[in-house]
Amino acid sequence: MSNIAGKAYAMNVLTPSNSKISWVNRLLFMASRGLPKNLMGLLGLSLIHFARWVIIKPRDWPDLGQGKEKLQHDYMLFCSNFNGTWDQYIDAFSDGIPGGLDMFWYASIGYPESIPITPFKDYITFNQVNTDYYYNATPGSAQRDVKTSLLVFDQVLKLADMHATASPEDFAAAYHKAALKMQKGLGDPGFGPVASLDTERAEVNRRDLLPPSGVGGPADA
């Protein structure tokens, strides 16, 4: 399984939607984009890197040589990646925006609503499509690690600019002020504690595929 890359997990869920009412979903998506305040519960879940819902009409399915698909329903594709485990993500989703989830999956056939959680998890499990290939540019960093690293980068640039012109006293004061701001970004990124057995197995498999230290690396190029 390639759903996991370091601290991140990729999720793809494909659910059949009632074609007669999937247009309501389109209106709901438009309303959500126009009134982003309604998504604050989702935006506040800092474990999420990305989430998107897409409605696919039967005519939109690609023909890769298998012939045109004959489908009875529209389908909704949900794509996301996040930090932590599958259970943590579903729990946070259900707790954070239960009404939003029910709205987004409004037209999906068999959708049990996000509360209670067990039927919702069963529904996601049944319709989830495992990822064949998942690349993450910063596998050892969570979303917050990336944001705080950018904060550190900005502060260092400001200090570098100031170093050429400021007096030692002014620079020292600015350095101490910047150091306080950078505290939360000075942690050590990495895989940290094992989040799940899947994460542990993915890391073992990743190490097995890498060449031994010093062999085939940049130094040998």
Side-chain angles (χ1 to χ4, degrees):
M1 183 174 69
S2 302
N3 291 337
I4 298 172
K7 289 182 176 176
Y9 186 108
M11 173 182 285
N12 299 297
V13 179
L14 191 66
T15 52
S17 293
N18 186 333
S19 303
K20 295 180 180 177
I21 57 173
S22 62
W23 63 272
V24 177
N25 261 122
R26 293 182 185 278
L27 290 179
L28 293 172
F29 290 151
M30 291 173 61
S32 298
R33 288 195 295 270
L35 299 170
K37 181 182 287 188
N38 295 328
L39 298 176
M40 289 308 294
L42 175 64
L43 299 176
L45 296 176
S46 58
L47 78 166
I48 300 176
H49 298 195
F50 170 86
R52 186 182 185 190
W53 286 262
V54 179
I55 296 175
I56 305 174
K57 306 290 286 186
R59 65 174 181 273
D60 296 330
W61 284 87
D63 182 354
L64 303 177
Q66 80 279 19
K68 197 64 179 176
E69 301 283 351
K70 295 180 180 178
L71 303 172
Q72 298 179 0
H73 307 291
D74 293 347
Y75 279 80
M76 187 161 74
L77 175 64
F78 170 67
C79 303
S80 181
N81 55 5
F82 51 89
N83 302 135
T85 67
W86 187 93
D87 278 305
Q88 289 171 334
Y89 181 66
I90 300 298
D91 288 343
F93 239 6
S94 181
D95 289 341
I97 54 166
L101 296 181
D102 295 343
M103 180 177 68
F104 291 152
W105 268 289
Y106 167 78
S108 290
I109 296 172
Y111 177 69
E113 298 191 348
S114 57
I115 297 176
I117 187 70
T118 299
F120 178 57
K121 285 186 174 180
D122 289 343
Y123 186 76
I124 296 298
T125 299
F126 184 80
N127 290 289
Q128 182 173 349
V129 181
N130 279 331
T131 307
D132 289 333
Y133 179 78
Y134 176 33
Y135 170 76
N136 189 311
T138 56
S141 299
Q143 187 211 90
R144 285 184 176 178
D145 295 325
V146 174
K147 287 181 175 177
T148 54
S149 295
L150 292 173
L151 181 148
V152 171
F153 183 68
D154 289 341
Q155 292 297 320
V156 170
L157 288 181
K158 289 179 181 176
L159 289 174
D161 289 341
M162 189 176 182
H163 186 265
T165 57
S167 67
E169 293 77 15
D170 288 343
F171 182 80
Y175 173 81
H176 289 299
K177 187 176 180 180
L180 284 176
K181 290 183 179 179
M182 292 189 290
Q183 285 296 313
K184 58 184 177 182
L186 299 179
D188 182 18
F191 297 118
V194 175
S196 69
L197 293 178
D198 283 342
T199 300
E200 186 177 26
R201 284 193 288 267
E203 176 57 16
V204 170
N205 292 335
R206 189 186 72 87
R207 283 201 300 265
D208 289 344
L209 293 174
L210 294 176
S213 178
V215 178
D220 296 328

